[in-house]
Amino acid sequence: MNKGRYGQHGGQYMPEVVMEEMKKIEKTFYECIEDESFIKEYKDLLKNYVNRPSLLYYAKNISEDLGGAKVYLKREDLNHTGAHKINNVIGQALIAKKLGKTRLIAETGAGQHGVATATIAALFGMECEIFMGKEDTDRQALNVYRMKLLGAKVNAVREGTETLKDAVNATIRELAGRFDDTFYVLGSAVGPHPYPAMVKYFQSVISKEAKKQILEVEGKLPKAVLACVGGGSNAIGMFADFIEEKDVRLIGCEAAGLGIETGKHAATITTGEVGIFHGMKSYFVQDSQGQIAPVYSISAGLDYPGIGPEHSYLHETKRAEYVPVTDEESVQAFEYLAKKEGIICAVESSFALSKALEIAKEYRPEDSIIVCLSGRGDKDVAAIARYRGENIDE
């Protein structure tokens, strides 16, 4: 597979003015991952700042209640800043330093990527500016305050649907106007090459750890690994080290919103078509004229009309399964996990958990499955309460 291409997907579909910057980032990325001192610094930060390796937790109560496979949770929610996003942000920020940049910019939906970027900017003494859809700043107000507390400037984007797609547009425009000191820290496995490759590389720590941990406790590989999918960063990290293990099912769970039939969803693989957007060729939710269509999810982190190009490739080659999960199904899983295991996960993660609860019953008690808990649920508690008709102050 050529660098930057995943079958027909991927590529670098960017204006000429941005291409030179992409080439610099690509060259520096591949140099860095061959540089022992870079890798040592990256791994040291993962261990001593992020608190890796993250736990592989056996959800005993859930497993016994379901009566099927043992359910394990890869606890990315226990990372510093509370999500998997920090794994990738540290790597990209180190590359930014190699390039001599002093300012980080980023887009964010649920706010976790923005918090992670603001955190590392503070740690490295860099300027930071975050772009976030106005709709998302309202439903993720706690994370907006966290970013400001960490010293970042937060721009509420008032365009389009005022969600993640529009935040990405604004961040690309900002980059195009200021290359001299600015690096775009892209949060998901999307965008022009080398971003999908970088995100996979830095997030692959999730599956490398999970494979080692499950072999230590079970002595064999799991029957399936599952993760939620918007752009797909935690999913490609959870899949990465299992892609060549053909007997392990890879399952990505995308946002079916109020139901596929309602049109109010963000189920890209289920309903999308191949197109070009945000610098990449991949599947996108489109209208009858081929324009990017508005999408919806209760989860700000999954409220994106496209999916990373490698996921599109894994779908077309049938190596991975991508299934729709509704808001209601995800909220039921969110509540079930809290009551059964005492864990309040991000609402994004509960999309994957919902499917895991369904398929666990297909297997025997000596089998196992792993769900990536991509983040913690503090940010979502008020939203879930409102969804259930309770008004609480954040």
Side-chain angles (χ1 to χ4, degrees):
M1 189 176 298
N2 293 329
K3 287 179 179 176
R5 285 286 181 185
Y6 308 90
Q8 66 169 317
H9 302 287
Q12 290 174 310
Y13 298 89
M14 298 296 283
E16 195 66 30
V17 66
V18 181
M19 283 304 298
E20 186 178 345
E21 188 69 9
M22 291 300 109
K23 295 296 184 188
K24 287 180 186 175
I25 296 171
E26 178 183 2
K27 180 174 181 293
T28 304
F29 165 60
Y30 286 112
E31 287 175 351
C32 284
I33 62 176
E34 296 297 327
D35 181 345
E36 289 184 9
S37 64
F38 177 92
I39 297 300
K40 183 175 183 298
E41 185 176 9
Y42 174 65
K43 288 184 175 179
D44 181 72
L45 285 164
L46 288 185
K47 178 181 178 182
N48 296 307
Y49 192 69
V50 177
N51 193 33
R52 301 204 72 92
S54 66
L55 290 176
L56 183 70
Y57 170 75
Y58 171 45
K60 183 171 181 288
N61 295 339
I62 283 179
S63 302
E64 291 180 352
D65 189 48
L66 296 175
K70 296 174 187 172
V71 177
Y72 283 86
L73 306 175
K74 184 58 175 165
R75 297 291 307 275
E76 293 299 296
D77 57 314
L78 298 180
N79 293 345
H80 179 50
T81 72
H84 71 292
K85 294 292 187 182
I86 190 104
N87 307 324
N88 166 54
V89 167
I90 287 178
Q92 289 196 36
L94 287 172
I95 289 172
K97 286 178 66 177
K98 287 281 185 187
L99 286 164
K101 309 292 186 179
T102 59
R103 178 174 178 257
L104 302 180
I105 60 173
E107 87 303 328
T108 191
Q112 293 301 104
H113 176 59
V115 169
T117 305
T119 298
I120 297 306
L123 181 69
F124 289 176
M126 303 172 84
E127 185 183 346
C128 183
E129 199 160 336
I130 304 296
F131 295 83
M132 192 171 185
K134 176 61 171 58
E135 168 76 14
D136 292 338
T137 63
D138 292 340
R139 52 181 173 172
Q140 299 294 343
L142 183 61
N143 275 340
V144 172
Y145 185 72
R146 282 198 181 111
M147 288 179 248
K148 291 178 178 176
L149 197 61
L150 291 159
K153 178 182 178 183
V154 181
N155 299 287
V157 179
R158 297 175 181 274
E159 301 170 3
T161 56
E162 301 184 346
T163 56
L164 182 57
K165 167 180 71 70
D166 310 294
V168 174
N169 290 339
T171 316
I172 292 173
R173 282 200 303 273
E174 179 70 14
L175 177 68
R178 189 169 166 179
F179 292 127
D180 57 335
D181 65 347
T182 297
F183 186 94
Y184 179 4
V185 182
L186 212 163
S188 199
V190 301
H193 179 66
Y195 280 106
M198 284 198 296
V199 173
K200 180 185 181 184
Y201 182 87
F202 293 125
Q203 293 293 6
S204 65
V205 65
I206 301 172
S207 53
K208 287 174 181 171
E209 286 180 4
K211 179 188 277 187
K212 181 180 178 185
Q213 291 165 323
I214 198 72
L215 287 173
E216 285 175 354
V217 295
E218 292 292 334
K220 60 182 179 180
L221 293 173
K223 290 294 183 182
V225 297
L226 301 96
C228 63
V229 181
S233 65
N234 92 95
I236 205 66
M238 187 73 244
F239 293 174
D241 218 42
F242 291 104
I243 290 175
E244 298 304 318
E245 306 289 355
K246 302 300 184 188
D247 291 334
V248 179
R249 290 174 68 186
L250 310 177
I251 303 176
C253 302
E254 55 185 19
L258 302 182
I260 297 296
E261 69 286 355
T262 69
K264 297 274 288 182
H265 60 77
T268 309
I269 291 286
T270 304
T271 69
E273 296 179 11
V274 175
I276 294 172
F277 188 56
H278 285 160
M280 63 177 174
K281 188 173 186 180
S282 193
Y283 279 88
F284 298 95
V285 180
Q286 302 173 47
D287 65 19
S288 58
Q289 277 74 48
Q291 298 296 311
I292 299 300
V295 291
Y296 160 81
S297 172
I298 190 175
S299 159
L302 304 184
D303 201 350
Y304 183 70
I307 190 167
E310 187 165 4
H311 286 295
S312 293
Y313 174 75
L314 293 174
H315 162 67
E316 289 185 347
T317 56
K318 302 188 185 307
R319 176 62 191 94
E321 307 162 42
Y322 295 87
V323 297
V325 176
T326 66
D327 286 354
E328 177 59 28
E329 290 168 333
S330 74
V331 171
Q332 287 182 14
F334 178 96
E335 295 167 335
Y336 179 75
L337 180 65
K339 289 172 181 171
K340 283 293 180 185
E341 299 288 347
I343 297 171
I344 299 175
C345 69
V347 69
E348 288 84 4
S349 311
S350 65
F351 281 76
L353 181 66
S354 175
K355 185 64 180 177
L357 301 179
E358 177 187 323
I359 70 164
K361 300 168 189 171
E362 300 172 7
Y363 298 104
R364 299 170 300 177
E366 59 266 35
D367 296 328
S368 66
I369 60 176
I370 304 175
V371 185
C372 184
L373 283 200
S374 55
R376 69 187 184 211
D378 317 32
K379 65 184 179 58
D380 298 314
V381 170
I384 298 299
R386 287 193 292 272
Y387 179 84
R388 289 300 192 210
E390 294 186 42
N391 287 314
I392 62 172
D393 293 327
E394 292 192 60

